[in-house]
Amino acid sequence: MALITICGYPCSGKSTRAEQIRTFLQSKLGIPDAVSAPPAAESSATSSPSAPSNAPTPQLQVFTVSDDSLNLPRSVYNESRSEKPARGALLSAMQRHANAGTVLIVDAPNYIKGFRYQMYCIARELRLRVCTVYVIATPDVCKERNDARIQSGAATAYTPETLDNLIMRFEEPSSMVRWDSPLISMLWTDEGIPGQQVWDAVTKGDVKPPNAGTQAVPKAPSSALHTLEHTTSALVSSILSEQSAAGGSFTSSSSTSIPVTPTLTVRLALPQRALTLSELQRLKRQFVTVHKKAITLGTVEKGEVDWGEEAVAGKFGRYLEENLKQ
């Protein structure tokens, strides 16, 4: 249904806002909290075990994926070599949970615009609405909150060096770019959330078609090259055999049935003259070269991904009809 990306400085209040948004959306959707609460850890079940077995399953759900739900400590942000796998785990979890029946909230620093763009492309591929929530707080406020966490021994505290580094590297979202739009901003001093804006974004926002660059290219089967070579050669041999049986040339103006295999026959409108092996081989090479390139590069004709014997024979037959001159 929709992807909501939460971003902001560390300790700016992102998790608080994510929980407020989750509660608000569940209330609007009429989903009991016990049914739709996100898993405490990624390895646990997606639905609450305390829900009655005969309880009706809601059509829509609201999940939150975060560092905490993945059991990722804040220390993963101390070094890039530990942060990259953590971002990969977050992206994988987002891909697993994103679907047409879920409003997915990604509660993480999300401070790199390239990472937000990755999530945006996945959402477009799944035809989900998107929304970015920017929680704004000053660096001083974030540092004060982090210091309080350090003093209390909270697991959500960052080292001062890591906090400064993340704040310095933060790439602010912009409503001018498509992967951050629509952008909903809220200050750390705001008591509530702009719930109606979020609701409109996840229920009425535009569903953009997948990017051409994100769509999977149809691949030809591993046997396509063999089928291409074998079928075209068989059709050339059959044409020459049928021509020889007809007295050296095709004299009928109507199409001729050419057997390719014991179970496959192609009807062709061939010129009323003697066809030579050299011209048939030349056309065969041209046809195979073009289609071999399509197979090896994975760029098959849009809507035509059938590389079976019948399809190849039909294509080659039409190619011969168009290129054999009277």
Side-chain angles (χ1 to χ4, degrees):
M1 179 180 180
L3 169 69
I4 301 176
T5 304
I6 310 290
C7 70
Y9 288 156
C11 304
S12 59
K14 298 186 301 300
S15 295
T16 300
R17 299 304 187 184
E19 181 60 22
Q20 289 176 326
I21 291 172
R22 186 182 72 86
T23 303
F24 172 80
L25 291 177
Q26 288 186 165
S27 176
K28 291 283 286 185
L29 293 170
I31 301 173
D33 188 70
V35 174
S36 225
E42 196 60 29
S43 59
S44 62
T46 56
S47 61
S48 173
S50 60
S53 58
N54 59 351
T57 302
Q59 292 184 343
L60 298 177
Q61 303 180 71
V62 183
F63 281 151
T64 301
V65 172
S66 65
D67 289 343
D68 293 334
S69 72
L70 297 172
N71 293 323
L72 296 174
R74 298 301 186 270
S75 59
V76 299
Y77 295 100
N78 293 347
E79 297 179 345
S80 60
R81 63 182 179 183
S82 59
E83 182 181 346
K84 288 180 180 179
R87 284 204 305 270
L90 187 70
L91 192 65
S92 296
M94 175 259 174
Q95 289 177 291
R96 286 195 299 272
H97 289 294
N99 58 69
T102 300
V103 178
L104 183 64
I105 304 171
V106 180
D107 172 26
N110 299 326
Y111 66 95
I112 301 174
K113 61 183 179 182
F115 184 67
R116 297 197 297 270
Y117 178 70
Q118 279 184 283
M119 292 192 289
Y120 167 79
C121 289
I122 294 171
R124 283 190 62 170
E125 189 173 352
L126 297 173
R127 299 185 181 275
L128 305 179
R129 295 181 176 88
V130 295
C131 170
T132 301
V133 174
Y134 180 22
V135 182
I136 302 174
T138 65
D140 289 340
V141 168
C142 296
K143 291 177 182 179
E144 289 177 7
R145 291 178 174 177
N146 190 60
D147 288 341
R149 294 181 185 181
I150 293 175
Q151 293 175 7
S152 64
T156 56
Y158 299 84
T159 64
E161 296 79 10
T162 298
L163 181 67
D164 290 339
N165 186 35
L166 292 175
I167 290 176
M168 180 182 65
R169 294 163 55 196
F170 182 77
E171 296 176 329
E172 185 174 334
S174 170
S175 60
M176 302 298 293
V177 297
R178 59 188 183 280
W179 58 88
D180 288 331
S181 180
L183 179 64
I184 301 173
S185 301
M186 56 187 74
L187 297 172
W188 81 97
T189 54
D190 294 342
E191 293 185 5
I193 60 170
Q196 191 59 44
Q197 291 185 47
V198 176
W199 176 253
D200 289 342
V202 301
T203 58
K204 302 177 183 178
D206 294 335
V207 179
K208 298 182 179 179
N211 237 334
T214 65
Q215 292 183 350
V217 178
K219 298 293 184 181
S222 58
S223 61
L225 285 173
H226 172 75
T227 303
L228 180 65
E229 286 283 357
H230 175 76
T231 305
T232 52
S233 296
L235 185 54
V236 168
S237 298
S238 295
I239 290 174
L240 293 174
S241 296
E242 291 295 314
Q243 178 178 262
S244 177
S249 65
F250 294 100
T251 58
S252 175
S253 59
S254 60
S255 59
T256 305
S257 295
I258 307 295
V260 183
T261 67
T263 59
L264 176 60
T265 300
V266 178
R267 295 192 65 85
L268 300 178
L270 298 171
Q272 299 179 45
R273 63 175 177 82
L275 302 176
T276 64
L277 175 62
S278 60
E279 66 177 325
L280 290 175
Q281 290 283 29
R282 175 176 56 81
L283 292 173
K284 171 187 172 294
R285 285 194 298 270
Q286 293 174 356
F287 180 83
V288 168
T289 299
V290 171
H291 288 78
K292 184 182 292 185
K293 184 177 180 181
I295 292 173
T296 55
L297 295 180
T299 53
V300 298
E301 297 176 49
K302 196 169 187 180
E304 295 187 20
V305 293
D306 186 358
W307 290 96
E309 286 185 345
E310 184 176 355
V312 172
K315 287 182 180 180
F316 184 43
R318 291 191 294 273
Y319 183 81
L320 291 176
E321 289 178 335
E322 293 171 0
N323 290 276
L324 284 172
K325 298 179 179 179
Q326 293 288 344

